[in-house]
Amino acid sequence: MTNNPLINQNAMSRKISFPDEPDTHIIDVNQLTVTSTRSSMGNILIEGDLTKKRRLVAKDGKVNIQHTKLRQPERYLADIFTTLVDIKWRWNLLIFSLVYTGSWFAFSVAWWLIALAHGDLVESNYKDPDFVPCAYNVHSWWTAFLYSLETQTTIGYGFRGMTDQCWPGFIVIIVQSVVSCMIDAAMIGCMFAKIARPKKRAETLMFSKNAVITKRDGKLRLVMRIADVRKTHILSAQVQAKLIQRKTTEEGEVIPLHYDDVQVGIHQDVSHIFLVWPLEIEHIIDEHSPFYEMSKDDIENSYFELIVFLEGIVEQTGMTVQKRTSYLPDEILWGHRFDHSIVQIGKNDYKIDFSKFNKTIEMPTTPKLSAKDLDDGVCEEENKNTKVNGTRFTMVPIPEDEDLMKIESAL
């Protein structure tokens, strides 16, 4: 009597094991979780679904990458402007406050030293009506700080002011004015750049929750839906797609994140789109497609991530905006199409019903074979093979009275 293997799933690996056998055989299947039954005839039946993995790109476009063990953090300081634009608002406000306050305190020390050297801090001097100080009403450290603040911010209350009695004051006021202009330019420029970023404009660009594979004009096509909900649309919009998956080279080198370009567009060869109403972006699954040899079962039992980019120019600012999303195999619906009733023709205009944006309709007539099998004329009844990790295995009934063979002998 054969035993079914158990799936041992932990945080570090995905394994198949046969605990009831004297010699337990364990195979790390890495990207795929499967349930496998084995017979002595060398036949293997695979059934299972995709292992839940972290996304490289989240549905909202955030990239799930953490940089660790960076031994040269000064690289961020070399491009301080971009660093200030990228950090969160709370850190921006904290840095701005510290820079301004620090400069006020630094120059207040300079004014206090000048007053000290000139004798302005001596009580008998600053109370003497005939005594002319370097700066009026600067006779303590706090009054020096207030004078520094008023000078740098050009408040000009009229109570404190510079005189012509000491030349060091001229140098300090010139330096402070120049430094003040530089700080204002940097801080205000950084604030404006952060506010004007087109990141929020991407919130009004939409991708469909699922992608679909359907047959159109005799070809299998991978289709996604995109839309812009604003009435002011982005210019020169274009769409790109990358297929991310693990790859093993002929020499045995394992590339964990290998990507292939996936040609997408309205007609695949045209990536620029006129995004005024919801559009269906398609990829024709032909001999140049990475999906060419993948059937419905192959996609369901594979692990990859399809990342889609939508880029365009914001009409109001002229800046480039990018919207990203990704699709895992369980988010690609084979044999479905999108509901075209999202566009409704009115008397004087067209109406878009966004409640149907993600709605799909099942198409039972869509073949479950790969595009290659369809091009080769293979019938679905003849397709009794299933493919796992690039190797095909024939699915046949398994004798119940046979012992399990070592699973590594078949791989």
Side-chain angles (χ1 to χ4, degrees):
M1 188 73 178
T2 58
N3 297 313
N4 288 328
L6 301 179
I7 302 299
N8 175 20
Q9 300 190 21
N10 53 50
M12 299 302 296
S13 64
R14 305 292 188 268
K15 299 178 183 294
I16 299 178
S17 61
F18 293 83
D20 296 336
E21 292 296 309
D23 297 324
T24 300
H25 304 287
I26 300 177
I27 291 181
D28 187 350
V29 295
N30 295 318
Q31 303 294 341
L32 191 65
T33 296
V34 296
T35 301
S36 171
T37 306
R38 181 75 190 173
S39 75
S40 60
M41 297 177 62
N43 302 316
I44 184 170
L45 175 63
I46 300 294
E47 53 185 357
D49 57 27
L50 191 68
T51 301
K52 299 299 181 183
K53 293 282 187 178
R54 289 191 178 94
R55 292 177 179 271
L56 182 63
V57 176
K59 295 295 286 184
D60 60 358
K62 294 181 180 179
V63 180
N64 187 25
I65 291 180
Q66 296 292 332
H67 296 165
T68 61
K69 299 181 180 180
L70 182 62
R71 298 182 179 180
Q72 295 178 322
E74 63 273 8
R75 293 176 181 270
Y76 291 103
L77 298 178
D79 187 12
I80 186 65
F81 184 81
T82 303
T83 301
L84 290 175
V85 173
D86 286 342
I87 61 177
K88 296 183 180 297
W89 273 106
R90 55 179 175 267
W91 298 113
N92 271 120
L93 297 177
L94 177 61
I95 292 174
F96 292 174
S97 301
L98 291 177
V99 168
Y100 277 111
T101 306
S103 64
W104 298 336
F105 273 100
F107 284 104
S108 69
V109 172
W111 287 116
W112 181 81
L113 292 175
I114 291 175
L116 178 64
H118 192 260
D120 297 350
L121 304 183
V122 179
E123 185 175 359
S124 59
N125 287 339
Y126 68 76
K127 288 186 177 181
D128 183 0
D130 296 329
F131 179 75
V132 181
C134 280
Y136 291 113
N137 297 304
V138 177
H139 46 72
S140 66
W141 186 86
W142 283 111
T143 55
F145 174 76
L146 292 175
Y147 182 64
S148 174
L149 172 62
E150 293 174 22
T151 300
Q152 189 163 331
T153 57
T154 64
I155 293 178
Y157 288 126
F159 186 66
R160 296 180 179 85
M162 187 70 186
T163 67
D164 58 355
Q165 292 300 307
C166 53
W167 63 267
F170 299 155
I171 298 176
V172 172
I173 199 168
I174 292 173
V175 172
Q176 187 171 7
S177 298
V178 173
V179 171
S180 174
C181 292
M182 295 176 63
I183 293 176
D184 289 342
M187 297 297 102
I188 295 174
C190 181
M191 187 76 71
F192 175 78
K194 194 172 183 65
I195 294 175
R197 292 172 70 187
K199 183 177 180 179
K200 295 300 181 182
R201 178 63 176 90
E203 299 296 328
T204 54
L205 301 175
M206 299 173 56
F207 284 96
S208 57
K209 180 180 178 181
N210 297 98
V212 300
I213 292 181
T214 187
K215 191 174 184 180
R216 288 180 179 172
D217 299 327
K219 292 283 188 179
L220 288 177
R221 300 168 190 256
L222 174 68
V223 184
M224 299 147 284
R225 177 174 274 176
I226 60 175
D228 184 0
V229 300
R230 283 189 178 273
K231 291 186 177 180
T232 55
H233 305 286
I234 60 175
L235 308 177
S236 301
Q238 57 180 335
V239 63
Q240 303 177 52
K242 311 288 183 183
L243 183 68
I244 311 297
Q245 58 186 340
R246 181 176 177 174
K247 178 181 179 180
T248 302
T249 66
E250 296 179 358
E251 295 77 17
E253 179 185 1
V254 177
I255 304 175
L257 294 176
H258 174 80
Y259 80 85
D260 295 297
D261 288 320
V262 178
Q263 297 296 324
V264 292
I266 299 298
H267 304 294
Q268 181 160 326
D269 57 339
V270 179
S271 61
H272 286 79
I273 57 177
F274 182 53
L275 190 58
V276 176
W277 64 90
L279 297 177
E280 293 183 5
I281 304 303
E282 65 180 32
H283 163 70
I284 300 177
I285 304 178
D286 54 17
E287 62 273 11
H288 304 293
S289 169
F291 302 101
Y292 185 57
E293 298 184 7
M294 300 180 71
S295 65
K296 179 178 184 295
D297 292 334
D298 292 333
I299 288 183
E300 291 176 351
N301 293 313
S302 299
Y303 180 76
F304 58 81
E305 185 171 352
L306 179 65
I307 303 177
V308 186
F309 307 85
L310 173 62
E311 293 182 348
I313 299 174
V314 181
E315 183 178 7
Q316 292 80 359
T317 63
M319 294 185 177
T320 301
V321 61
Q322 183 184 88
K323 177 72 172 181
R324 298 181 294 264
T325 193
S326 69
Y327 298 97
L328 297 181
D330 58 349
E331 294 170 336
I332 299 177
L333 306 179
W334 190 290
H336 285 245
R337 67 169 177 84
F338 287 106
D339 187 358
H340 298 301
S341 63
I342 185 175
V343 179
Q344 301 174 0
I345 302 176
K347 184 177 180 180
N348 298 315
D349 55 11
Y350 294 87
K351 301 183 183 299
I352 307 299
D353 184 3
F354 277 98
S355 65
K356 300 179 180 180
F357 181 74
N358 291 308
K359 184 178 179 181
T360 63
I361 299 175
E362 187 173 3
M363 303 292 291
T365 57
T366 303
K368 299 180 181 180
L369 301 178
S370 66
K372 184 178 187 302
D373 289 338
L374 292 177
D375 290 344
D376 293 341
V378 178
C379 299
E380 289 200 58
E381 291 77 9
E382 300 174 359
N383 188 49
K384 297 181 180 180
N385 293 337
T386 184
K387 187 195 302 180
V388 178
N389 291 339
T391 305
R392 285 195 174 274
F393 299 93
T394 303
M395 300 170 60
V396 299
I398 301 174
E400 296 187 357
D401 56 348
E402 297 287 344
D403 294 330
L404 291 171
M405 297 182 65
K406 292 182 179 180
I407 194 168
E408 62 265 25
S409 65
L411 299 179

